[in-house]
Amino acid sequence: MPTLIAREQPRPPSDAGEAMLSLEAIYEEHFDFAWRSLKRLGIPEAQLDDAVQDVLLVAHRRLAEFVGRSTLKTWLLGIALRVASVHRRTAARRPTEPLVEDPPDQTEKPPADALSEVAEAARLVRRLLDCLDEDRRAVFVLAELEEMTAPEISAALGVNLNTVYSRLRLARRDFDAALARHRAGRPT
């Protein structure tokens, strides 16, 4: 039986009697979405928790400004896009050294099939996404991975609908080209 995907509906503007959304409720409902979005937008694994915290802090500070013209998810996505951009600019100016992990216990060897095909495919998709410029990557991630419609993406990013279609077309072309280079054994 096919699974139906429910779309979150825009929240009507709040009136004085409506209880405001709490940070705890936003955290419970949207933490996974924020984490997944930031990861797909290129935030390194070691910085994901900090970036999600930044998204939630901005959402907490600006919660009173959310009037419901879009869904809460779309609003959080806009915040996540700005946080990802700031994190990337900071990383470019101030590269960090990866944390040194304890050497693995040599007595326990991981099984040969520890790296599954799914994990390898996910790493490949992240490498291919890294080939896209920031604007195209955002549109591609929202359309292809988050399954948002072009009008939803337009609202989330604050860009013209035709710009969304153009960026998506170019992102798909660039993604396919990077995949073809990978399959041919050339660097992506």
Side-chain angles (χ1 to χ4, degrees):
M1 175 183 247
T3 304
L4 298 176
I5 298 174
R7 296 241 185 241
E8 182 181 357
Q9 297 299 314
R11 195 179 111 208
S14 61
D15 59 12
E18 181 184 355
M20 290 297 294
L21 290 170
S22 69
L23 180 61
E24 293 80 18
I26 292 172
Y27 178 88
E28 289 297 320
E29 289 183 39
H30 299 286
F31 176 87
D32 290 340
F33 170 73
W35 190 91
R36 189 176 62 244
S37 296
L38 289 165
K39 182 173 180 83
R40 290 174 174 170
L41 290 169
I43 300 299
E45 189 94 27
Q47 297 173 4
L48 274 172
D49 289 335
D50 291 338
V52 172
Q53 182 177 355
D54 290 347
V55 168
L56 293 172
L57 285 173
V58 170
H60 176 67
R61 282 195 313 264
R62 300 189 62 200
L63 194 55
E65 298 171 24
F66 178 65
V67 293
R69 285 187 294 254
S70 65
T71 64
L72 183 61
K73 191 174 184 178
T74 302
W75 182 68
L76 287 171
L77 180 62
I79 295 171
L81 287 165
R82 286 185 290 283
V83 166
S85 179
V86 167
H87 273 261
R88 278 193 300 276
R89 281 195 311 269
T90 301
R93 280 193 320 265
R94 200 177 47 208
T96 58
E97 294 293 322
L99 296 175
V100 178
E101 296 182 18
D102 293 333
D105 184 1
Q106 297 300 322
T107 59
E108 293 182 32
K109 301 234 183 228
D113 63 349
L115 298 177
S116 69
E117 286 183 24
V118 172
E120 185 59 35
R123 281 192 294 280
L124 174 60
V125 168
R126 281 193 296 277
R127 282 197 314 269
L128 296 174
L129 286 173
D130 287 343
C131 295
L132 302 177
D133 75 27
E134 190 174 330
D135 292 334
R136 292 178 190 170
R137 180 181 182 140
V139 171
F140 186 85
V141 165
L142 297 177
E144 299 296 337
L145 303 178
E146 292 299 333
E147 298 179 345
M148 291 176 73
T149 66
E152 290 172 326
I153 296 168
S154 174
L157 300 178
V159 297
N160 182 289
L161 183 60
N162 288 332
T163 301
V164 170
Y165 287 123
S166 174
R167 287 180 184 172
L168 183 57
R169 180 182 56 77
L170 294 170
R172 285 174 175 157
R173 182 200 66 193
D174 295 348
F175 187 89
D176 288 343
L179 180 58
R181 284 191 306 273
H182 168 77
R183 287 181 174 156
R186 296 187 316 245
T188 53

